[in-house]
Amino acid sequence: MTFEELTQKITNLAAAKGGLGSSIKFATDAGSIFIGADGSVSNADEAADCTIGVSLKDLQGLMTGDLNPMTAFMFGKLKISGDMGIAMKLKDLF
């Protein structure tokens, strides 16, 4: 899956679920995916309430369920900065 396809998939999920009330940014090796508090999605590199650093490959694994989020965190495959509670809300989006 390309970065653009992944952005579109996140856009569709966010549109279906609405916003989480907080902004989240996935900082990948291919670029940023920013989810606004209202559920809007862009590739802007904006400040977010929670930033998750993850490779594009690992983000794909998280979204498909092939990579367990807790395992990824424990092995350093994703790094969370900002409000950890917001990162926990992602299960509601995916």
Side-chain angles (χ1 to χ4, degrees):
M1 184 178 304
T2 67
F3 179 72
E4 290 77 21
E5 291 170 335
L6 193 57
T7 299
Q8 188 58 50
K9 185 172 184 175
I10 291 173
T11 300
N12 294 341
L13 289 170
K17 302 277 179 139
L20 296 174
S22 303
S23 60
I24 299 171
K25 177 172 65 174
F26 292 101
T28 73
D29 48 352
S32 295
I33 301 173
F34 180 84
I35 305 171
D38 61 353
S40 61
V41 177
S42 72
N43 293 121
D45 190 14
E46 298 181 38
D49 298 318
C50 178
T51 300
I52 301 172
V54 62
S55 72
L56 186 62
K57 179 183 173 198
D58 288 337
L59 180 56
Q60 291 172 354
L62 290 168
M63 292 188 65
T64 60
D66 293 335
L67 180 61
N68 180 290
M70 190 58 72
T71 302
F73 181 75
M74 297 297 280
F75 283 99
K77 292 185 176 224
L78 63 94
K79 305 211 182 319
I80 300 171
S81 60
D83 189 340
M84 178 79 82
I86 296 170
M88 302 304 265
K89 290 182 182 180
L90 282 174
K91 67 179 178 351
D92 297 333
L93 182 63
F94 300 136

